[in-house]
Amino acid sequence: MGRKKKNYTFENIEVIDAGARGKSVAKAPDGRVIFLTNAIPGDVVDIQTGRKRKAYFEGTATKFHKYSDKRAEPKCTHFEHCGGCKWQHMKYEDQLFYKEKETIQNLQRIGHLELENITPILGCEESYFYRNKMEFSFSSNRWLTYEEINSEEEVDNRNALGFHISGMWDKILDVEKCFLQEDPSNEIRNSIKDFAISNTIEFYNPREQDGLLRTMMLRILSTGEIMLVIQFFKEDKEKRELLLNFIKERFPQITSLQYIINSKGNDSIYDQDIILFDGRDHIFEEMEGLRFKINAKSFYQTNSKQAYELYKVTRDLAGLTGEELVYDLYTGTGTIAQFVAKKAKKVIGVESVPEAIEDAKGNAEHNNIDNVEFFVGDMKEVFTSDFIEQHGQPDVIITDPPRDGMHKKVVEQILKISPKRIVYVSCNSATQARDLALMKHKYKVANTQAVDMFPQTHHVENVVLLELI
């Protein structure tokens, strides 16, 4: 028999900080850190530990002796179970404080960087209903609350349309009202669910690999245009058309209504054919007079209004005069490249996803921007000395890599060509700090500013300006 895991109970412990991945921080009597999921700084609690590591515990607050003055009343009735908005119980100004604090600490602790100028974090004007894209899953076997499990009453309807419960790939939380996406998001979702139940259109069961309705993706842009993509597990023409015709008639404001038939093991859409049912196969977002065409597979920042603020910070820090050659690494669909193009001599964008580059080229042509060029390929393979020789020595590099940061070869190439300025945009300040540490012998951090894109969560973007020493 294996050794039984020993849990610990600590009483009257003050929560002192908010840490990585949205967890709060307390300290055990022996000085070891305790990471908590259901408390915030300023709470005084009793803690039951679950997992013990060498240097820390993971635990849950089981009793609250004192509630923090940083607490807010969560708006969402699903807050306790959903896990999507982990900081909804914290006042927004305190969320911003801890986001900025973690960003600065990562740069200093991981990167050992000297920060000459820290511009205060830029918060969102709208802390709810800010996402332009949401993805929901159907399930015929919804997640049940402890109250429902312990109740003697039989649960008749197990259909759900909502979000995955954290750590449970086959359990979906049924969502009545979500505060992340503006109306008519909730109305569309609930109407589809009710119609499907009323007309016995089967919800998907991931364990049994059976059912019809699998997922729905909904985009609502600042232009008012709406895209809805329904994913079916298999073809059932009669039921599929019944549902899609209902949606078309009930919500005529939908600009793009599309569907997918996907019978593979996972529900990723990027290798699937997307079929247009009504409207057009794309929608448009706008920013400073620029129009960006977005299709079902396009990547676009999920907070449209704050993306505009992020791009303005990026452009301002780049300090462009109209004479610079700019390289935009990890350009995605070329949004930043086109946004800065009018203040640059020329912009070169590089991205590994072919579909994204096609979108970038199409958008640039549509926007009549003729001083941008886009190239596709793995960054570490494309961004070479031959590439620089062919396209020119950049004066400024803007880089916006994925969460893992830049490949070491990319960092080495940047150091080799040594542009005057680098603007590093990151959604992960830990990997950003790691990359900056590799460049600190040649560059100083002239400015850093966090930009909050995701209120009610611990996620935050950070923009750093590097200048040659």
Side-chain angles (χ1 to χ4, degrees), residues 118 143 284 326 466:
I118 301 171
W143 179 80
F284 285 102
V326 179
L466 297 179

Side-chain angles (χ1 to χ4, degrees), residues 110-362:
I110 298 172
H112 303 287
L113 301 164
E114 293 183 13
L115 306 181
E116 283 189 5
N117 187 23
I118 301 171
T119 302
I121 186 171
L122 182 62
C124 281
E125 286 187 12
E126 298 171 2
S127 58
Y128 288 98
F129 301 116
Y130 59 83
R131 286 186 67 98
N132 59 42
K133 178 186 176 185
M134 295 292 289
E135 296 176 85
F136 305 97
S137 296
F138 294 88
S139 174
S140 63
N141 187 28
R142 73 174 174 85
W143 179 80
L144 300 177
T145 65
Y146 296 116
E147 291 77 17
E148 287 177 310
I149 293 170
N150 295 326
S151 172
E152 295 181 0
E153 294 182 14
E154 189 173 340
V155 179
D156 294 327
N157 178 20
R158 291 293 298 273
N159 288 319
L161 178 52
F163 303 122
H164 284 271
I165 292 289
S166 179
M168 299 183 184
W169 63 274
D170 63 333
K171 289 288 186 283
I172 300 296
L173 171 71
D174 191 47
V175 175
E176 293 179 9
K177 182 175 182 179
C178 178
F179 286 80
L180 285 175
Q181 190 175 40
E182 66 180 332
D183 290 336
S185 177
N186 286 301
E187 186 183 358
I188 291 172
R189 187 188 64 256
N190 289 329
S191 295
I192 289 172
K193 179 177 69 177
D194 293 343
F195 182 85
I197 292 171
S198 299
N199 290 273
T200 61
I201 302 175
E202 302 87 2
F203 287 33
Y204 181 64
N205 186 314
R207 282 194 177 274
E208 301 296 329
Q209 293 276 292
D210 195 25
L212 188 61
L213 289 170
R214 194 166 187 178
T215 68
M216 62 172 276
M217 179 184 75
L218 183 61
R219 293 186 193 256
I220 302 177
L221 302 184
S222 64
T223 55
E225 295 197 336
I226 300 174
M227 174 183 287
L228 177 63
V229 181
I230 302 289
Q231 187 172 184
F232 298 89
F233 179 62
K234 56 191 175 185
E235 173 66 298
D236 184 327
K237 188 172 186 292
E238 183 180 348
K239 289 184 176 179
R240 172 177 59 75
E241 290 189 344
L242 179 67
L243 177 65
L244 294 174
N245 278 316
F246 161 75
I247 296 169
K248 176 183 174 180
E249 293 168 12
R250 177 70 178 79
F251 299 100
Q253 67 268 49
I254 292 178
T255 315
S256 174
L257 178 57
Q258 303 179 75
Y259 70 94
I260 300 166
I261 309 296
N262 177 11
S263 299
K264 64 186 176 73
N266 65 67
D267 57 20
S268 170
I269 72 171
Y270 294 97
D271 58 351
Q272 298 295 296
D273 293 327
I274 300 175
I275 305 163
L276 180 65
F277 183 80
D278 187 59
R280 43 180 155 84
D281 65 358
H282 59 275
I283 51 180
F284 285 102
E285 184 58 285
E286 291 184 0
M287 189 182 295
E288 277 195 358
L290 301 174
R291 281 167 63 83
F292 298 101
K293 179 181 175 183
I294 296 171
N295 61 48
K297 296 181 182 181
S298 293
F299 170 79
Y300 191 83
Q301 286 282 2
T302 53
N303 185 337
S304 295
K305 292 180 181 177
Q306 199 68 351
Y308 178 44
E309 302 301 325
L310 176 69
Y311 297 159
K312 283 196 292 184
V313 169
T314 302
R315 185 173 62 190
D316 290 347
L317 290 180
L320 303 177
T321 65
E323 297 301 318
E324 294 85 2
L325 173 60
V326 179
Y327 278 22
D328 182 28
L329 308 185
Y330 310 92
T331 191
T333 55
T335 314
I336 291 179
Q338 294 175 65
F339 190 74
V340 305
K342 64 183 178 183
K343 291 199 172 184
K345 185 176 182 179
K346 187 174 183 179
V347 184
I348 303 290
V350 185
E351 168 61 43
S352 64
V353 180
E355 293 85 357
I357 288 297
E358 287 305 310
D359 285 345
K361 290 178 178 178

Side-chain angles (χ1 to χ4, degrees), residues 392-405:
Q393 167 79 21
D395 302 293
V396 177
I397 286 180
I398 297 172
T399 180
D400 185 6
R403 291 193 63 80
D404 289 342

